[in-house]
Amino acid sequence: MKQGHMTVYKELIMLQGARKELRSATRIQPCPACKHDMEQFEIFLDYKIRSVKSHSLIDEKAGKMLHELDYINELIRMGTLAARLLRPLTKLGLLSVPPAYKEVLDKDRVANKIIREHLLIAKLMVSKLDAAAEQYKIMSRILDSFIRATEFKLSADQSTFFMFDKMIRFFYRTHIFGLAGKTIVGAKDVVSCCMDR
């Protein structure tokens, strides 16, 4: 009984710590879309903390929110990959890159470095939780995605960033990759469920 109590106590400390770091990162996030995703994840963490405190299952709305974030971040991952592959189009002069893209990268650089540090600490805290638990696997995956997106913005030049922006707008506007993204996320969940058995 005492050991179970200590496990719940540790779980709450790690979750609250992760939420605090995420909140600090979200507060200074200059990208509106990224900020929205991080705010949604923070809301999910609130639900999760309440469920651990009350020893109850997380409700369906919160579970759906977590899976939606996982899906969105899969689209972002595909966007970064596509941006790197299509970057030569700008080098060949087939697409011109507006100077605003360089200005945004330069202006947001300091904030993104700080955001990255907060996200790395949040990820460390989540990694100390039960690695076999389905929700913690997804949470870890989402934080990894936030970190990769931030590192992408820190390392990308204006051409790659321009292509990334165009690809993400395209994905959201047309939902062409919606099925692919959901299939990938679904496959990861199936693998996770099999590993849990």
Side-chain angles (χ1 to χ4, degrees), residues 11-12 15 43-53 56 58 62 135-136 139:
E11 192 172 6
L12 283 172
L15 285 169
I43 292 169
F44 171 80
L45 282 173
D46 287 336
Y47 278 112
K48 184 64 181 176
I49 288 166
R50 283 200 296 271
S51 80
V52 172
K53 280 181 178 176
S56 61
I58 203 157
Q135 286 179 352
Y136 290 142
M139 286 167 59

Side-chain angles (χ1 to χ4, degrees), residues 159-177:
S159 299
T160 313
F161 187 51
F162 171 74
M163 292 307 304
F164 171 74
D165 181 56
K166 293 301 175 191
M167 293 308 302
I168 292 299
R169 288 174 192 268
F170 176 73
F171 289 169
Y172 277 92
R173 191 182 307 120
T174 64
H175 296 280
I176 282 176
F177 286 94

Side-chain angles (χ1 to χ4, degrees), residues 26-39:
T26 305
R27 193 178 296 125
I28 61 170
Q29 175 59 258
C31 166
C34 299
K35 190 180 189 79
H36 175 265
D37 289 348
M38 289 165 72
E39 285 171 344

Side-chain angles (χ1 to χ4, degrees), residues 118-129:
H118 285 300
L119 291 174
L120 285 170
I121 296 169
K123 173 68 196 307
L124 180 64
M125 290 179 168
V126 169
S127 73
K128 292 181 184 297
L129 297 166

Side-chain angles (χ1 to χ4, degrees), residues 99-145:
Y101 283 87
K102 184 178 187 312
E103 291 167 15
V104 168
L105 282 175
D106 291 343
K107 179 174 67 72
D108 295 349
R109 193 168 302 279
V110 172
N112 281 322
K113 285 180 179 177
I114 298 168
I115 288 165
R116 180 180 177 273
E117 293 307 310
H118 285 300
L119 291 174
L120 285 170
I121 296 169
K123 173 68 196 307
L124 180 64
M125 290 179 168
V126 169
S127 73
K128 292 181 184 297
L129 297 166
D130 182 5
E134 175 69 11
Q135 286 179 352
Y136 290 142
K137 284 181 185 178
I138 298 172
M139 286 167 59
S140 184
R141 202 156 68 210
I142 290 168
L143 282 168
D144 275 338
S145 183

